[in-house]
Amino acid sequence: DTEVTQTPKHLVMGMTNKKSLKCEQHMGHRAMYWYKQKAKKPPELMFVYSYEKLSINESVPSRFSPECPNSSLLNLHLHALQPEDSALYLCASSKRLASSYNEQFFGPGTRLTVL
Amino acid sequence: AQRVTQPEKLLSVFKGAPVELKCNYSYSGSPELFWYVQYSRQRLQLLLRHISRESIKGFTADLNKGETSFHLKKPFAQEEDSAMYYCALSGETSGSRLTFGEGTQLTVNP
């Protein structure tokens, strides 16, 4: 399996809901990433995990809570989101923390709409 | 601070014509430069990285440290090259952060 998968593909939630996004890879990669992408804009890094430990948090609001339960899985827990959080959420993975030798592989994304 | 600039949001060429997508960067140190491509309804994928100096799908890109540029070129554009192209930068002082440019939407007309 050489892909990063993400579920669900689409998610609509209210501002009081709690939901989770899921990302999975079986390539043996030990670095995993969450990005947020608004329409016609580049991806913005949110979180980086390396060997299941949080390595980078780009000052993301606490209503987004990442979790890496094992080396293949990455979750993003959502609570009390705002309409401006509506975006495409991308997961990526690489063998190790990214460098020229460690290509980042991206998932197809979860399209999130907050009402 | 590191920054990537792609001056053209939209670029339109005819099939068979040469194409150049511009990318300039700002970084104090040795940068690592990449080109990512996103075809319609497909996931973001790596096209080129400067360290490998390879040609992928006919595209090449040369890192010019003097001009701080990493332009993407193809001598004869094909319709299937139509996509969004992002230039991205990383480096030893940025950890694992990839900084993306705003992207250039390339359209190759028949």
Side-chain angles (χ1 to χ4, degrees):
Chain A
D1 190 350
T2 58
E3 280 196 343
V4 175
T5 59
Q6 290 186 245
T7 54
K9 285 188 177 165
H10 301 275
L11 179 62
V12 180
M13 60 187 289
M15 289 190 283
T16 58
N17 291 158
K18 280 187 183 180
K19 296 284 183 185
S20 296
L21 309 185
K22 181 178 167 183
C23 173
E24 201 163 357
Q25 57 86 16
H26 296 286
M27 295 180 279
H29 291 174
R30 303 311 296 272
M32 296 185 78
Y33 312 79
W34 279 116
Y35 289 85
K36 175 182 177 179
Q37 187 177 26
K38 291 283 217 181
K40 308 240 184 262
K41 288 290 188 182
E44 297 173 28
L45 184 66
M46 299 174 71
F47 302 104
V48 180
Y49 273 83
S50 177
Y51 288 88
E52 296 90 69
K53 287 189 172 17
L54 184 63
S55 175
I56 293 174
N57 176 343
E58 292 284 58
S59 304
V60 179
S62 59
R63 56 186 185 270
F64 295 91
S65 175
E67 180 197 17
C68 191
N70 61 57
S71 59
S72 301
L73 271 178
L74 185 66
N75 298 320
L76 186 63
H77 303 298
L78 315 172
H79 174 53
L81 294 195
Q82 304 296 310
E84 59 264 28
D85 295 322
S86 299
L88 182 69
Y89 287 84
L90 297 173
C91 175
S93 71
S94 64
K95 282 185 186 174
R96 304 289 183 266
L97 287 183
S99 72
S100 290
Y101 303 97
N102 287 323
E103 174 183 350
Q104 285 193 35
F105 292 80
F106 284 83
T110 293
R111 177 77 57 193
L112 174 67
T113 303
V114 182
L115 302 175
Chain B
Q2 60 192 61
R3 183 197 270 184
V4 177
T5 303
Q6 293 179 250
E8 302 134 331
K9 280 196 165 148
L10 301 170
L11 185 62
S12 183
V13 300
F14 285 104
K15 177 182 169 182
V19 63
E20 181 180 51
L21 289 83
K22 291 184 167 45
C23 172
N24 288 91
Y25 67 89
S26 170
Y27 186 75
S28 51
S30 292
E32 298 167 1
L33 275 297
F34 309 83
W35 277 99
Y36 279 82
V37 61
Q38 195 165 28
Y39 300 102
S40 179
R41 289 187 290 277
Q42 293 188 30
R43 64 187 68 197
L44 193 62
Q45 57 188 291
L46 180 67
L47 179 65
L48 282 178
R49 67 194 95 183
H50 89 270
I51 197 84
S52 53
R53 303 178 69 83
E54 57 194 342
S55 172
I56 304 289
K57 299 185 180 183
F59 285 98
T60 58
D62 289 318
L63 178 61
N64 186 324
K65 292 189 177 180
E67 295 183 1
T68 60
S69 68
F70 188 56
H71 303 327
L72 184 67
K73 299 176 185 178
K74 184 169 183 176
F76 307 104
Q78 304 299 314
E79 288 179 69
E80 55 266 29
D81 295 329
S82 296
M84 177 68 90
Y85 291 81
Y86 292 103
C87 183
L89 176 152
S90 182
E92 71 272 8
T93 61
S94 66
S96 56
R97 291 172 181 81
L98 261 183
T99 299
F100 288 88
E102 289 290 306
T104 297
Q105 179 68 49
L106 173 67
T107 302
V108 181
N109 299 299

